[in-house]
Amino acid sequence: MDRLTVLPSPTDVALASARAVAGALSAVVAEKGRCRLALAGGSTPRATYEQLAVPDVGGSVDWTSVDVFFGDERMVPPEDVASNYRMAREALFERVQIPPGNVHRISGELGAEEAARRYVAELGAEPLDLVLLGMGDDGHVASLFPGSRALEAPHAPAVPSEAPVPPHSRVTLSLPVIKSASVVLLIVTGPGKAARLREVFGERRSGKVALPAARVGSVTGETDWFVDAAAAALLGEVA
Ligand code: 6PG
């Protein structure tokens, strides 16, 4: 079940998605005692994480009960400006009371094969409760790019992947792991994503899904889209 929320601006999307994430995290912790969250990388979600760190928005979250994973990582050291971990640390971890042991980064400094092996061990077999994703203008999510081997029959919950843009070497959650989450929440903003978003929603409506962003919907739960007006401009009747 897809739920689409269209908001006027990227700032509105950041606030609304942060509120949704905070609510989902608190609900899972209340129900299960702990919550397993996977963060998105790239630039769009930074604003959401910054809002999540604002007490009036994310203050209800008990971060001591949240285990934070990553949807993907670039194979760079954690201090590198391209690191998804660094972005999340600056935007969120440094601003909330999350125990360091609750943050399970992908060890970008080790290279993809070893980083994926260690990450699979750290992930364990329990499904993720909430997976946040951005979407590239080619329709990729995490580091699952159209036509990439990482998309098909992955041999593990997290696998090495090659990106067409630098940093090329990545590790990404596999499609089945993302789809097994109770909530998959995608954050998409900007006019550059509008044509691809229309294509993604068209595929999801038709049931003939090919693009990674069309294939990652939660199998058992909710798939929530937070989109600004610019990215939603071409959706029309497909949404
Ligand atoms: C990454 C992300 C990637 C990102 C999309 C959208 O490591 O780059 O995980 O999947 O979410 O490329 O990126 P922007 O938000 O920067 O447009």
Side-chain angles (χ1 to χ4, degrees):
M1 170 63 186
D2 279 33
R3 190 163 46 193
L4 172 65
T5 302
V6 180
L7 294 142
S9 71
T11 303
D12 298 311
V13 167
L15 182 54
S17 55
R19 286 198 170 115
V21 170
L25 292 176
S26 298
V28 173
V29 170
E31 181 196 341
K32 297 168 61 176
R34 286 199 76 76
C35 182
R36 288 159 57 89
L37 162 69
L39 294 179
S43 59
T44 305
R46 178 188 281 267
T48 296
Y49 303 160
E50 289 168 347
Q51 286 294 333
L52 200 48
V54 173
D56 286 350
V57 178
S60 66
V61 179
D62 170 11
W63 289 101
T64 64
S65 300
V66 179
D67 282 302
V68 180
F69 298 88
F70 289 80
D72 69 329
E73 185 58 277
R74 295 87 176 271
M75 290 300 102
V76 296
E79 294 309 314
D80 191 297
V81 68
S83 165
N84 288 333
Y85 163 77
R86 173 176 165 172
M87 184 273 279
R89 193 196 68 218
E90 291 172 346
L92 181 60
F93 305 148
E94 290 176 350
R95 303 176 180 195
V96 298
Q97 299 302 312
I98 186 165
N102 285 23
V103 177
H104 309 275
R105 69 179 184 88
I106 302 170
S107 305
E109 69 278 17
L110 296 180
E113 291 297 334
E114 179 59 14
R117 192 187 65 77
R118 292 192 185 194
Y119 193 49
V120 165
E122 195 145 354
L123 266 171
E126 193 181 344
L128 293 164
D129 296 294
L130 174 56
V131 174
L132 308 187
L133 295 170
M135 185 191 81
D137 56 13
D138 60 355
H140 80 263
V141 291
S143 283
L144 296 169
F145 293 88
S148 76
R149 280 184 302 118
L151 260 179
E152 306 310 335
H155 56 284
V159 292
S161 170
E162 281 299 310
V165 294
H168 294 288
S169 182
R170 313 277 182 102
V171 165
T172 184
L173 287 179
S174 62
L175 205 53
V177 167
I178 295 173
K179 292 171 62 143
S180 68
S182 305
V183 177
V184 175
L185 191 152
L186 298 101
I187 305 167
V188 184
T189 62
K193 309 276 177 85
R196 193 65 72 183
L197 198 65
R198 175 183 170 84
E199 194 178 350
V200 166
F201 272 75
E203 287 189 5
R204 287 184 69 76
R205 188 186 176 102
S206 72
K208 299 186 183 72
V209 291
L211 288 167
R215 296 177 60 182
V216 288
S218 170
V219 174
T220 59
E222 291 290 338
T223 305
D224 291 337
W225 297 79
F226 286 84
V227 177
D228 71 347
L234 302 178
L235 284 183
E237 77 292 343
V238 295

